[in-house]
Amino acid sequence: MTTTTPFGCANAAVLGEAKVQIGRYQGLRSTNSLGLTRSRHVPLSSVSSSSLIRAVATPAKPETKRSKVEIFKEQSNFIRYPLNEEILTDAPNINEAATQLIKFHGSYQQYNRDERGGRSYSFMLRTKNPCGKVSNQLYLTMDDLADQFGIGTLRLTTRQTFQLHGVLKKDLKTVMSSIIRSMGSTLGACGDLNRNVLAPPAPIQRKDYLCAQQTAENIAALLTPQSGFYYDVWVDGEKFLTAEPPEVTKARNDNTHGTNFPDSPEPIYGTQFLPRKFKVAVTVPTDNSVDILTNDIGVVVVTDDNGEPQGFNLYVGGGMGRTHRMESTFPRLAEPLGYVPKEDILYAIKAIVVTQRENGRRDDRRYSRMKYLISSWGIEKFRSVVEQYYGKKFEPFRELPEWEFKSHLGWHKQGDGSYYCGLHVDNGRIGGVMKQALREVIEKYNLSIRLTPNQNIILCDIRSAWKRPITTVLAKAGLLHPRFVDPLNLTAMACPAFPLCPLAITEAERGIPDILKRVRAVFEKVGLKYNESVVIRITGCPNGCARPYMAELGLVGDGPNSYQIWLGGTPNQTSIAKSFMNKVKVQDLEKVFEPLFYYWKRKRQSKESFGDFTNRLGFEKLQELVDKWEGPEASPARYNLKLFADKETYEAVDKLAKLQNKNAHQLAMEVIRNFVVSQKNGKSQ
């Protein structure tokens, strides 16, 4: 097999990461030719040769510092104790150890931070939906559970899952078991293990898309916990498992290269699982709907000239989370690792996971993600260690075309005679009349669902005759064709933040509607056209759940009612942004937005995006423009157009506008502008 050659680093300039020194930590150690390590979990008789790498389930050096969570995991009997006891008590909350363990089951303990004078505890549940696939039965179950046990809304996440907020402890078992019995799961949606595996959500009947989605499902199955703790706690040990492909079982059980814990109920994870969360995405060339470079592992289908999948390119080392004013923590883009034939993909994934399991830091959770391991080692050393567990050399990374962000919104043919319809959902929050309309359509036509990595929803398997009645029902609820949605909203994302997220520093989901309106007003003030847009993402803290560090304009909460402003991401999510300004108060945002957008309008090159513009000018020049800003030049007087001829029309438009958090005038202007644009483009809408 061909030996790999050094690849170009996709993020060599990111925050000077090559200069960042992170203290080394040896937690879980491999038993290899440099010295066998004894462990009570691995008898020496299982070590057949000193040339084989043998994993151990507990730290080789007990005196080495470990985080508290590592101790909770070790003492938990594979993520059972004390959670199994805590959920039975009369208290509204659970203790510290159980709070950490319930994450592995797909739940976070929260309390309402808007309330004063005591804590009102509840739980957020997150589902696990590889590729964003949701059956008709599961969607209807989640819809019911939101009303019966939640806060009446469903939240679509940036990892193609549902979040159900506001579940009381006394109802946890009922809700969990309902999800499980509807063939859903929350297992591993949170915690120190593989999270939901992303893939392009569109149900396109094309070989590369089908391969990407099947591969995502296989990776999810490979890395699903095997010890049964989830079913023991929530359905008294009864298991609801679907048959997995034999290649998944074979890859999981294979221990040819010392990847597994022999005779353990968790052959890949052992008692300690992974040092931190682990994220995987799979996609096809050009389709960057999954933010491929933000994942621990990015998998890209490689096809031959006939479109037949042959293998996969692998990226490693992406991740968003960081800590304010700690430059040793940083967002990072994944970089190329190599290429593997399609029959080897599960073995390669397993080898990467085991490398992180054995070498990722377990003393300080701020540095436990795989991106820090790769930053410390360098890609060449990381590749060499992974190859020991893989048993082969990686082939050279195959050349790929340019990436594009694909929203998959609107009506499209699936390729099998049916249609799919992608619907924009502001910040992924499904509630009110929108929730009722979706329920009506999904239930009546027995539709299956796909959730997108941009917090949107796709209705699948729609017959041609159903398009008009479905469109009518959805439009009445404000679920419009994307051409009738403000372009700024189409690519914007925000995390939930207040009131329930315990990590939030300031608003995100509740604040973004007003911020987007203010950005639109700035656009109009400086003369930018309605159909021009920038990618805006907002998070309430630096952990980066809405991936703000990939946005052209990222707002990251860094104090009460203030944001750190990040600039320089690109529309196709291939460049990482950089911190531009700190602690900008929410009421002062226009003082930054106006000069930036004004000079983008006047100084940009042909078809230059806002992110590319900010990178070309440089932050020193941009800061100078912001500091000297005194307002735009006076623009010509605007016409005062009377849009509504009668009160009845106005009231009808106003009712529809309120569903989108707009007024009648704003919605009418959007429709008119879109119509004018479509005519200029020579398209009949």
Side-chain angles (χ1 to χ4, degrees), residues 301-332:
V301 178
V302 176
T303 63
D304 61 18
D305 292 340
N306 298 318
E308 200 68 48
Q310 300 297 306
F312 302 90
N313 276 345
L314 294 174
Y315 292 96
V316 291
M320 291 286 96
R322 50 178 286 276
T323 302
H324 279 315
R325 284 161 280 284
M326 286 188 64
E327 291 191 5
S328 57
T329 67
F330 44 82
R332 189 181 194 274

Side-chain angles (χ1 to χ4, degrees), residues 19-20 25 70 120 130 140 147 188 195 206 225 236 263 316 324 354 368 393 489 493 552 562 619 647 654:
K19 298 179 181 179
V20 174
Y25 168 73
E70 289 298 311
S120 177
L140 298 178
D147 291 338
R195 302 290 186 89
R206 211 173 76 185
D236 301 322
D263 303 318
V316 291
H324 279 315
V354 169
S368 293
K393 292 284 188 181
N489 291 59
M493 292 200 297
E552 294 181 276
S562 77
F619 282 13
K647 183 178 179 182
D654 188 57

